[in-house]
Amino acid sequence: MEHLVRSCYKQGGYVFAKKAANLVGDGRVARLASNENPESPSPVAIEAAKDAVLTANRYPDERVDVLVSALSAYYGDYNFVAGVGMDGVIETLMRTLVDPGNTVAVASPTFSFYGIAAQAQGAKVIAVRRRPDFSVDTDVLIREGRDAKIVVLCTPNNPTGNSTSFDDVQRILDGIGGVLFLDNAYVEFSGTDYLPLMRKYENLVIGRTFSKVHSLAGLRIGYAFVPVWLQPFYLRAGTPFTVNAVSAAAAAAALTDRAHAERYIAQVIVWRKKFSTDLKFPVLPSDANFVMVDVRPFTSDEVVEKLAAKGVLVRSCRSFTGLADHYIRVSIGEDWENERLIRELNAL
Ligand code: PMP
């Protein structure tokens, strides 16, 4: 019966990070493959989640008001939408805007789910190459993305770690005819704030997530700043009641615990620098909570396997289209995890 499956799902799909490693020495695995905050969620988020479970017999609020109100209190007067992770936001945005045959242009190499979600709507996906140093050539992106329904730009970029400047983003917004989806999953770890652009452009959507700095990856909750015209259509296109009440309550509460987020941001800043000085392999400059490491003469998968055998999980970058097969991505974890990574990678 497999002939019934859509051709776009006959192969491909999202490639997940390796999940199993040898339990060495103390029996702990250093989990540095998925860019998560190694600390448990904030106690206030956990309390809010527990409270929300008590009324889980009821459907959640379809507009996710508890979170939208918390986001407004935190950021000020913007229009927000929420989703099941930023992945859910990306999926609903594609559903809202993309007709079969439309073009979606993606500054690549980058996170793979944009292309997967766009193809699910029948889009033609154009991977617009970044420069060899992974910076974005705005002229090329504008030229190739001019007729696209959506142009996607991840900044700081996964997996390369570099940012696109505020001015370059503005230039792209001025030059394209469709919507720019700016993926800011890692923006809390960078020095750049793109939000002023929301006030100026009607074609900008900025995606964010609670999976990284806020320690809520397992609750699957993300959101976006959207222009006012888009909001009702996004709500119409979305799966009904898609964001559950427990996740929404936890996320709203997490925003109030700034110290929790700031602890991890401080950890990231210290260890990004340490990775670049202490690793014997070249480390690319990063504005995110991970670094990309050039592991030549080894291949990506070779290093992932060797490190897993030593109790360290990192991400192979082999599945990132357009990237040479000799990079790994290493998240910043707790001290002992980062120390083990340095020791084992340098011992290769
Ligand atoms: N965008 C980027 C760049 C990411 O790295 C991730 C997480 N892998 C996501 C979006 C999705 O995040 P979420 O967990 O909120 O779905």
Side-chain angles (χ1 to χ4, degrees):
M1 296 300 280
E2 283 176 20
H3 66 282
L4 297 175
V5 174
R6 287 176 63 195
S7 55
C8 63
Y9 296 122
K10 290 266 164 66
Q11 54 191 7
Y14 187 80
V15 178
F16 293 91
K18 187 175 171 65
K19 291 195 83 162
N22 275 1
L23 302 177
V24 296
D26 58 9
R28 294 188 293 184
V29 172
R31 300 191 171 276
L32 305 179
S34 299
N35 305 338
E36 299 142 335
N37 185 334
E39 192 176 324
S40 305
S42 157
V44 295
I46 292 171
E47 277 312 304
K50 283 184 184 165
D51 281 349
V53 168
L54 297 175
T55 53
N57 55 313
R58 302 293 179 192
Y59 280 100
D61 173 55
E62 67 272 17
R63 301 175 66 98
V64 205
D65 262 342
V66 63
L67 178 57
V68 169
S69 306
L71 288 166
S72 300
Y74 190 88
Y75 289 110
D77 185 23
Y78 295 92
N79 300 291
F80 298 99
V81 295
V84 179
M86 200 205 299
D87 289 338
V89 172
I90 292 165
E91 189 165 45
T92 303
L93 184 70
M94 297 290 173
R95 258 202 244 176
T96 312
L97 297 179
V98 175
D99 275 317
N102 287 167
T103 300
V104 173
V106 183
S108 303
T110 192
F111 184 54
S112 68
F113 188 63
Y114 318 119
I116 294 168
Q119 272 170 358
Q121 302 307 319
K124 183 169 153 251
V125 178
I126 303 178
V128 181
R129 292 298 300 246
R130 289 165 174 263
R131 296 192 186 96
D133 67 354
F134 305 116
S135 63
V136 171
D137 185 328
T138 54
D139 291 339
V140 172
L141 187 60
I142 290 167
R143 193 173 64 236
E144 298 199 26
R146 182 164 285 136
D147 299 325
K149 211 44 161 326
I150 304 178
V151 174
V152 181
L153 174 60
C154 185
T155 176
N157 187 41
N158 178 5
T160 57
N162 61 312
S163 296
T164 302
S165 73
F166 184 95
D167 289 349
D168 278 355
V169 172
Q170 180 152 334
R171 204 163 296 132
I172 295 162
L173 284 161
D174 284 329
I176 61 173
V179 162
L180 178 68
F181 179 70
L182 199 68
D183 183 328
N184 270 182
Y186 301 101
V187 79
E188 291 91 345
F189 308 106
S190 85
T192 310
D193 177 11
Y194 303 94
L195 283 186
L197 294 169
M198 277 318 295
R199 303 270 183 231
K200 208 176 149 197
Y201 290 90
E202 287 227 291
N203 61 338
L204 175 60
V205 174
I206 297 182
R208 299 266 186 105
T209 179
F210 284 90
S211 297
K212 311 297 176 186
V213 75
H214 294 297
S215 296
L216 293 176
L219 289 187
R220 311 301 305 121
I221 187 143
Y223 61 103
F225 298 79
V226 293
V228 66
W229 64 266
L230 180 61
Q231 193 174 33
F233 299 106
Y234 178 100
L235 294 173
R236 191 178 294 171
T239 305
F241 305 116
T242 189
V243 174
N244 76 73
V246 175
S247 301
L255 280 175
T256 66
D257 191 348
R258 290 190 193 218
H260 176 96
E262 276 161 16
R263 264 197 306 282
Y264 183 47
I265 292 168
Q267 170 84 347
V268 165
I269 289 168
V270 167
W271 280 95
R272 269 195 318 226
K273 192 145 170 255
K274 237 172 132 47
F275 279 166
S276 68
T277 53
D278 293 8
L279 284 172
K280 74 175 190 189
F281 295 96
V283 173
L284 281 84
S286 171
D287 294 325
N289 67 334
F290 56 82
V291 293
M292 194 165 82
V293 185
D294 184 343
V295 291
R296 270 178 289 184
F298 301 103
T299 67
S300 327
D301 286 357
E302 254 171 12
V303 172
V304 169
E305 292 304 321
K306 284 174 192 288
L307 290 177
K310 301 289 185 184
V312 183
L313 287 171
V314 299
R315 180 73 146 103
S316 165
C317 292
R318 185 166 69 88
S319 64
F320 288 87
T321 308
L323 200 58
D325 188 20
H326 53 76
Y327 293 105
I328 59 166
R329 192 192 68 200
V330 179
S331 314
I332 287 150
E334 293 183 50
D335 291 353
W336 70 268
E337 296 179 291
N338 306 333
E339 281 157 8
R340 186 187 287 180
L341 178 277
I342 291 175
R343 193 170 63 245
E344 298 302 342
L345 194 52
N346 283 349
L348 289 186

